[in-house]
Amino acid sequence: MTQANMEILPRGVQVALFLGLAALLAFPFAGTEFYTEMVTRMMIMAIFAMSLDLLQGVTGLVSLGHAAYFGLAGYALAFLTPQGEPVSLWWTLPVAVLGSGLAALIIGFFVVRTRGIYFIMVTMAFAQMVFFLFFDNKALGGSDGLYINFRPSAALFGWVPFELDGKRTLYYFTLAAMLLVYAFLRRLLWSPFGRALAGIRVNEHRMRAMGFYTFGYKLTAFTLAGGLAGLAGYLWGTQTGYINPELMGFQMSAHTIMMVVLGGMGNIAGAMVGAFTFEYLLHVFKDLPQVGSVNLGKHWQLWMGLFIVLLVTFAPRGLLGLAGRLGKRGMDKENQGE
Amino acid sequence: MDLANFFIQLLNSVQYGLLLFMLAAGLTLIFGIMGVVNLAHGSFYMLGAYLAWSLSALFGSLSLAIIGGAALSVLFGLALEWLLFRHFYERDHLDQVLLTFGLIYIFEELRSILWGDDVHGVPIPELLSASIPLTDNLSYPVYRLFMSGVCLALAAGLYFLISKTRLGMKIRAGAFNRDMAEALGVNIKLIHAVVFALGVGLAAVAGMVAAPVASVYPNMGSQVLIMCFVVVVIGGIGSVRGALIAALLVGLVDTFGKVLLPQVAGMLVYILMAAVLLYKPEGLFKQ
């Protein structure tokens, strides 16, 4: 992966992120209920995309099966929630996240040995295996999936700090989770561990020659990313109250790769921006009007496909990359003027 | 399982394995020679199946449909290579993944606009619709033997082309060292276009001969693509021989798994893949 990663965010992007945060904080008071739910979903996808960026952008491992860990945590919530009452948030959330992390650890043991294109194919194949495990077994919900009748309860020894049943509380809970994940991954990016991962992206052979046990580093990153994807999956299950094998499928994984690339890889912020943009585009494409006898919205995949092909042909470094490049060009011109 | 039933399952495994090989061979050739990851390879299989459906209705004959469809899909492959893929040979794998993922979406929707979203059946030609009786109540359809025959003939043709002909020599030279081959006067651009069109044609023919048995339906491409990945990973990327052996292996495990262990059948081939990866992370026949 030779593409330059903008790991240090330009001042302009930092300002934009702060403005975005302010907008997110105020949103539930301005937007309708429908859009509040939509933004909640966007934030969940942002967590998911950031977890993938740890692999794809930071370490240079393109996983085409990341949705498996997302879906597994959702299933964990579905299995842990009893038929007639909510389950406690405080132990099911860690269990779901650890469960996804454990699955990633086991699968990672196999996939991390492979490299490049092999890694892409093998991650996809293992995710497909998990998909079929759930798809083929009636006991695990089968192709219809499972309903989660109650959102988890946040009650602690009779004290209820907040109710996830409320749309706004779930919104702010998700926002807090997203900010925590962002802060954690940004911190990780600049830790010795994160620098080693970036070193693996640039040249794994050299890292190994310098004495780094790269298998262990990559496996740790894979496990961590799986756990964080689990956090997103748990929130998804909480929000939608429904979980099915499609959430672990190939398309879901490919969408997430797309989000990370769209926003710009390797700086965690890009994944967040990409997730919001991608989900918004999906919404726009699905909402296109009827023109003559053709329902444009019904064929949203066509517009999405064209968009993807155009983007990858003309702007392979994503939106933040494009912004960065334009900004740099502006700066160069200023410098020339002096 | 008695002997006759075992024999039928064995024939089915070989037939499925050979079909997978036709697809995996194109996938692994396109990767091995051009270095392109093609997620849209399954779409070419789907294209073949839909062409078989349309053209056999038009001509009233499946064999004419297969010949016409093969020609059309090779032309389609050449156009696609010229328009898009040749710009991506030197690009990152990730860019190729995205490009071909976008193409899957475009092809699926074009399919939906052109052919609709219903499931279609393609009739088996009368000449091949008989069955060969094995025991009193078990028989084997002739059409499945015909499928295996077509796949075998194409596999043999592919082997001959790559290992015995002058063009095959150039293809191998280009895969081994692109710059050196070019310096020796091999027209690499032309070779790439030919190999790509060959891969598309093989996948489409696989879709066409499978259409009467597997029927024609949306998303048929992505299911088959994942199986192809498994085959390519097991066989070792870039190796046509590896793809053949892995495809037969996957055919066996999948077919017998469905009969003997239906509960976990969907997972068995992936378990096989995991086992191979543990033993050889680069596949059985990495070149």
Side-chain angles (χ1 to χ4, degrees), chain A residues 62 110 117-118 122 124-126 128-129 132-133 136 251 254-255 258 261 265 299 301-302 305 308 312 316, chain B residues 31 37 91-92 94-95 98 101-102 105-106 109 113 226 229 233 236-237 266-267 270 273-274 277-278 281-282:
Chain A
V62 180
F110 292 95
I117 176 60
Y118 259 82
V122 173
M124 176 176 169
F126 272 103
Q128 236 16 59
M129 179 169 103
F132 276 116
L133 178 69
D136 285 344
Q251 288 209 335
H255 278 176
M258 193 56 222
V261 172
M265 300 191 293
H299 298 294
Q301 295 198 69
L302 185 59
I308 293 173
V312 73
Chain B
F31 182 81
V37 192
R91 296 273 288 269
D92 214 87
L94 182 60
D95 290 355
L98 286 174
F101 178 68
Y105 267 0
I106 295 175
E109 284 298 327
I113 292 168
I226 291 154
F229 274 14
V233 166
I237 203 155
M267 287 177 69
Y270 302 106
M273 183 185 72
L277 279 177
L278 255 188
E282 307 241 274

Side-chain angles (χ1 to χ4, degrees), chain A residues 144-201:
Chain A
D144 296 335
L146 294 168
Y147 285 95
I148 303 160
N149 295 327
F150 293 91
R151 284 187 177 167
S153 137
L156 259 183
F157 309 111
W159 173 59
V160 184
F162 54 86
E163 297 264 11
L164 287 180
D165 267 339
K167 294 218 164 54
R168 273 188 197 169
T169 1
L170 184 63
Y171 179 96
Y172 283 111
F173 186 75
T174 311
L175 178 59
M178 184 180 80
L179 292 178
L180 272 176
V181 170
Y182 177 70
F184 170 70
L185 287 176
R186 277 304 289 190
R187 175 73 189 79
L188 193 78
L189 183 61
W190 293 106
S191 69
F193 175 73
R195 294 294 79 202
L197 294 182
I200 289 172
R201 178 189 75 236

Side-chain angles (χ1 to χ4, degrees), chain B:
Chain B
M1 191 186 288
D2 58 32
L3 197 64
N5 199 355
F6 174 80
F7 188 62
I8 287 180
Q9 298 304 340
L10 197 65
L11 282 176
N12 280 342
S13 323
V14 170
Q15 178 249 307
Y16 181 48
L18 285 172
L19 193 74
L20 278 181
F21 168 70
M22 297 247 292
L23 288 149
L27 196 67
T28 207
L29 270 179
I30 291 172
F31 182 81
I33 291 164
M34 280 95 99
V36 170
V37 192
N38 183 15
L39 295 190
H41 201 64
S43 301
F44 304 143
Y45 173 77
M46 179 179 77
L47 173 75
Y50 275 89
L51 279 177
W53 177 58
S54 281
L55 293 179
S56 66
L58 189 69
F59 297 146
S61 143
L62 186 68
S63 48
L64 273 184
I66 289 180
I67 294 166
L72 277 180
S73 49
V74 164
L75 284 180
F76 178 71
L78 284 174
L80 203 62
E81 199 268 348
W82 185 77
L83 198 66
L84 274 176
F85 276 82
R86 68 191 172 111
H87 305 295
F88 280 81
Y89 293 150
E90 307 292 320
R91 296 273 288 269
D92 214 87
H93 286 328
L94 182 60
D95 290 355
Q96 299 166 351
V97 164
L98 286 174
L99 171 79
T100 50
F101 178 68
L103 286 178
I104 291 181
Y105 267 0
I106 295 175
F107 293 152
E108 275 295 330
E109 284 298 327
L110 291 180
R111 192 257 322 132
S112 164
I113 292 168
L114 279 173
W115 282 299
D117 294 329
D118 297 329
V119 179
H120 301 287
V122 175
I124 293 177
E126 218 166 292
L127 196 67
L128 300 169
S129 60
S131 287
I132 301 169
L134 289 176
T135 59
D136 290 341
N137 46 14
L138 283 174
S139 59
Y140 199 75
V142 171
Y143 186 78
R144 281 180 179 266
L145 291 178
F146 165 75
M147 277 174 81
S148 303
V150 172
C151 296
L152 259 182
L154 282 169
L158 191 65
Y159 171 78
F160 181 76
L161 176 80
I162 289 180
S163 57
K164 302 286 180 210
T165 64
R166 209 172 170 76
L167 177 66
M169 194 177 74
K170 288 178 181 170
I171 291 177
R172 280 179 288 140
F176 186 69
N177 189 333
R178 190 200 148 114
D179 293 336
M180 184 64 81
E182 212 159 17
L184 292 171
V186 176
N187 186 346
I188 287 290
K189 280 182 183 159
L190 185 70
I191 295 282
H192 281 178
V194 167
V195 170
F196 191 85
L198 194 69
V200 174
L202 279 174
V205 171
M208 286 188 271
V209 294
V213 174
S215 74
V216 181
Y217 56 96
N219 291 322
M220 60 189 296
S222 48
Q223 289 184 354
V224 113
L225 174 79
I226 291 154
M227 272 302 172
C228 285
F229 274 14
V230 173
V231 167
V232 169
V233 166
I234 291 177
I237 203 155
S239 161
V240 176
R241 186 174 54 132
L244 178 62
I245 291 165
L248 291 172
L249 205 59
V250 167
L252 272 176
V253 169
D254 192 63
T255 309
F256 278 93
K258 275 180 185 142
V259 179
L260 300 174
L261 297 162
Q263 289 304 316
V264 290
M267 287 177 69
L268 277 180
V269 285
Y270 302 106
I271 294 172
L272 173 71
M273 183 185 72
V276 169
L277 279 177
L278 255 188
Y279 170 62
K280 275 196 166 176
E282 307 241 274
L284 294 176
F285 296 91
K286 168 79 178 158
Q287 289 199 318

